[in-house]
Amino acid sequence: MRYSAQAGGHRYSFDSLAVLMGAATPARSGDELAGCAAGSAAERAAAQRALSEVPLTQFLTEDVIDRDTDDVTRLILAGHDPQAFAPVSSMSVGQFRDWLLAVCARPDASQVLAAIKWGLTPEMVAAVSKLMTVGDMIAVSSAITVVTGFRSTIGRPGTLATRLQPNDPTDDPAGVAAVCIDGLLMGSGDAVVGVNPASDSPRTVRRLLDLLDGIRSGAQIPTQTCVLTHVTTTIDLIEAGAPVDLVFQSIAGTQAANEGFGVTIEMLREADQAAHELARGTVGDNVMYFETGQGSALSADAHHGVGGVPVDQQTLEARAYGLAREFSPLLLNTVVGFIGPEYLYDGRQIIRAGIEDNFCGRLLGVPMGVDVCYTNHAEADADDMSTLLTLLVAARTGYVICVPGTDDIMLGYQSLSFHDVLTARRVAGLRPAPEFDSWLDRVGLLDESGRVRETALPAAITALADRSLAA
């Protein structure tokens, strides 16, 4: 099907939905690299106008990624609920945008938006985001509630959770333990204490799992731990009796990209079942943790759709959320600036992408978090990250990632610091996850106003430090 619209006295034509979606996407370096970006601002405006007139039903009949060759597409279409879709089924993409902006101002917005999530496909959600400003997306995102739980509850209104990321370039247990204690003292770690191991060897991963579980159980911290290794390694360690809380895996929006990660949908099902059988949660049973990022499919040369047409990276990112929600994860975060300037060139593109990802994930019902980050060779800086964090707080993202002093010394990129989140919580009047908040109060880390104390180490943390470092 061909699509067309006029802009600047010229009529532009687009040969397929995938071509139209790419041309309608706000400018970013990854789409230029892939060859699917608009050639001019006028062409982008024409594509957005044409996209606004596309019926939402078109996304159910015209594939961006061919259902005959892609298991993610088949999974998305199999999960589509016509009854949930009914309230918006007669709308075009532009009408859907107007409807979302009207609904988000209503007192029952959260219930209305939750009711349609299984009626929406990722392509529909990506399409409407291309017609929205950052402010539009924040307005809708902030009206959505997505709550998950394991030992702590993530996503409740009035909260902002954090992943405490104690990476060490040599997987040194003392280094990991020291960062854990540093983060806990500043109220971080309520979403997860999660380590990216420098080595993927089962022995190293098991040692880190034991260390994190000892820290958590030793101080009776109501959170969950995770070592971000490959899903197959985690499955084997579960069978070996390792203390696994969450199963981690990086995922993408196409079958080919996931194969590049060495993962299949069936592997994810097996891992989900194995972790559920452990029954280690206390307030919930969401056991999966996924990471994604715009550009991951392109970086694996796995971004081609029907007829070999390149698909824009933001649409492919939204499709990863469509895969993730099948498994009701506790956590999903986009590592929005991590892959590099080839995909998101500067602070402006990173900020837009972070808000898009949060919006698309939340509208699909996924518990979104964002790693507010950039690589050192990107045209971005800490001010851009402060801006994105502030916007994400307004958009009610579920959690963010924190490292010591904004610098991850193992992965070599810049993220948020523990202090950044303390500021964000104070300015916005937010608290940690409720169970973790109560623990902070119980061990003496909160003052009467609910702020983290500037105080000597509480006895529980001192004992924890002694045990961890001795081990």
Side-chain angles (χ1 to χ4, degrees), residues 60 72-88 96 99 110-122 124-125 146 269 286 318-329 360-367:
L60 300 175
V72 177
T73 301
R74 293 193 294 273
L75 181 76
I76 289 166
L77 293 174
H80 181 259
D81 182 345
Q83 185 174 352
F85 184 51
V88 297
F96 183 43
W99 181 85
S110 182
Q111 296 92 321
V112 173
L113 295 173
I116 67 166
K117 63 184 179 184
W118 284 103
L120 303 176
T121 69
M124 294 176 194
V125 171
V146 182
R269 293 194 195 282
N286 302 108
R319 283 171 53 88
Y321 308 154
L323 169 59
R325 71 175 175 177
E326 176 73 12
F327 298 94
S328 301
C360 290
R362 290 177 68 78
L363 193 51
L364 289 168
V366 176

Side-chain angles (χ1 to χ4, degrees), residues 298-309:
L298 173 58
S299 68
D301 193 28
H303 61 292
H304 295 96
V306 175
V309 171

Side-chain angles (χ1 to χ4, degrees), residues 1 45 70 124 129 133 135 161 176 178 184 227 239 278 302 342 374 423:
M1 184 173 179
D70 187 272
M124 294 176 194
S129 74
T133 66
V176 172
L184 290 168
V227 177
E239 293 175 352
L278 295 177
E342 300 85 355
Y374 64 100
T423 298

